Amino acid sequence: MKVLLLLLSFAFASIGAAQEKVGVTEVAPNVLVFATTTGNVVASVGPDGALLVGTPSVGSTAEISRVLAEKTKSPVRYVIIAPEALKDSQGDAGWGRRGAFVAMQEIALGRLGGHVMGEPAALPPTLSQLGVDRPRISFSEVLSFDMNGEAIHIIRQPPGYCNGDALVHFHVANLMYFGEAFPGDGYPTIDEAQGGTLDGLIKTLEPWTSKDFKIVPARGPLTDGTTVASYVQMIKTVRSRVEQMVKAGQTEKQILAANPTAEFDAQFGHGRTSPQLFVHEIYAAVTAAKGE
C-alpha cells in the first residue's frame, strides 16, 4: 500500500511539474504571443477560433488552452509547428489529442517521422517519452488563413536555418515570425545537416527590416524590423571578415582563434549557437561558395 501511495504521489508530482508558467503578450485584441520553454507561439484568436504558429512545449498546452477558451467561444484550433532541432522538438505538444488540426512543412515533418519524402520513420524516442505525437498533416509551399479579421500567410522560404523554413505574415497586424531563422536570443543556427544555407537565411530576413514590422523571434520579447536589420548587418560583417581571412589563406583554426565575432559576443553569444559554432557555420558557407 505504501509503495502504491508513493507511486501515486510521484505521478501527481510529475503531472504538476509538467505544467509551466506561460508568458502572454497582447499584440492586438486578436493577436497574442505565448512564451513557452521551447519557444514563442503566435496566436490569432477570435470568433473563428484560434490559430497557433511556433514551437509550443508540452507543459504550456493546458495553460494556452485555458487562455484561448477565455478569448473565444469557438472550439476550433489550428496549430502549425515550426521546424527546430530534433533534440529540442516536443512534436505536436499534445494538441492533436485535444482535437486540433495540426500541420507542419512537409520536409520538416519528414524529420519527425512523417509519411513524406519516402518511407515513414518511427516516432523519435524523445517524443515517445513525452507522450506526444508528430503532426499528421503537411503543406509544401503556402498555407493561408482568413480568420478573426486577419489574413495570415505561411510561406516556405529558401533554406536558411533548414530546408523547411517558412515565414508567417499577419497582414493586418503587420507582424512577422520566422522561426529559427531569427532566434532572438543569439547567433543563428545554419543547420547544414537539414539543408540550411547562409544565403537563404539572409534572403529570408532582408525584406523585413523596416521599423513598421512587428517581429516575433523564436525566443525572447516582441521587437521590430530594425532589430532584424542590425541582425542581418552583424551576419554580413562577420561573413566579410571570414571571407577576407579565407582569401589570406588562413585555416579555420586560425580564423576561430582570431575571434571575428568579438564585438558581438556580449549581445549574441549566449543563445543556442556559440560564437565558435557560428564562425564555423560562416566558414563552411564561405569555403563552399569558393568551391573548396
Side-chain angles (χ1 to χ4, degrees):
M1 184 68 176
K2 289 182 178 180
V3 173
L4 177 60
L5 289 173
L6 183 62
L7 289 172
L8 286 172
S9 298
F10 178 78
F12 284 121
S14 298
I15 292 170
Q19 304 303 310
E20 66 183 63
K21 187 174 181 180
V22 179
V24 185
T25 300
E26 185 176 290
V27 180
N30 64 333
V31 180
L32 306 175
V33 178
F34 295 99
T36 81
T37 55
T38 46
N40 287 328
V41 179
V42 191
S44 168
V45 59
D48 299 320
L51 162 68
L52 305 176
V53 184
T55 54
S57 63
V58 175
S60 70
T61 299
E63 177 62 12
I64 292 176
S65 294
R66 184 192 66 78
V67 173
L68 295 179
E70 291 179 350
K71 296 284 186 178
T72 178
K73 294 180 180 180
S74 171
V76 175
R77 301 289 183 267
Y78 303 100
V79 181
I80 311 302
I81 304 294
E84 60 182 332
L86 188 59
K87 66 180 179 61
D88 298 316
S89 174
Q90 297 202 5
D92 74 345
W95 283 99
R97 297 182 186 185
R98 288 175 175 262
F101 172 104
V102 185
M104 195 171 191
Q105 203 284 327
E106 64 179 359
I107 296 175
L109 174 57
R111 295 192 183 97
L112 290 182
H115 291 64
V116 294
M117 306 299 288
E119 292 297 317
L123 185 70
T126 51
L127 300 187
S128 298
Q129 291 165 8
L130 288 170
V132 299
D133 298 316
R134 70 177 75 82
R136 300 287 176 168
I137 301 167
S138 65
F139 68 95
S140 178
E141 299 296 327
V142 179
L143 193 59
S144 64
F145 293 84
D146 181 0
M147 61 185 296
N148 302 324
E150 257 292 0
I152 303 158
H153 284 86
I154 304 168
I155 307 169
R156 188 182 171 197
Q157 297 297 293
Y161 160 69
C162 73
N163 54 11
D165 283 353
L167 65 78
V168 183
H169 188 187
F170 285 64
H171 289 260
V172 176
N174 216 20
L175 179 144
M176 305 298 303
Y177 171 78
F178 306 99
E180 287 296 332
F182 185 64
D185 61 353
Y187 292 118
T189 298
I190 303 166
D191 194 332
E192 292 179 86
Q194 296 191 62
T197 70
L198 176 62
D199 286 344
L201 187 79
I202 292 172
K203 285 178 182 176
T204 293
L205 298 177
E206 270 192 316
W208 312 102
T209 54
S210 167
K211 66 179 181 181
D212 297 328
F213 291 112
K214 302 178 187 73
I215 307 294
V216 177
R219 291 167 294 283
L222 183 76
T223 185
D224 62 39
T226 60
T227 304
V228 176
S230 61
Y231 193 70
V232 171
Q233 186 55 52
M234 176 274 294
I235 294 171
K236 289 182 174 180
T237 298
V238 176
R239 179 181 64 180
S240 177
R241 290 172 181 171
V242 172
E243 283 175 339
Q244 292 303 312
M245 287 186 274
V246 168
K247 286 180 182 177
Q250 293 189 36
T251 65
E252 181 177 3
K253 185 176 180 180
Q254 290 171 322
I255 292 171
L256 285 167
N259 195 11
T261 64
E263 71 187 88
F264 304 113
D265 288 350
Q267 182 176 1
F268 300 109
H270 307 289
R272 292 181 175 181
T273 300
S274 68
Q276 294 77 20
L277 179 55
F278 177 53
V279 172
H280 167 75
E281 294 171 349
I282 297 290
Y283 176 83
V286 168
T287 53
K290 288 171 59 65
E292 296 181 359

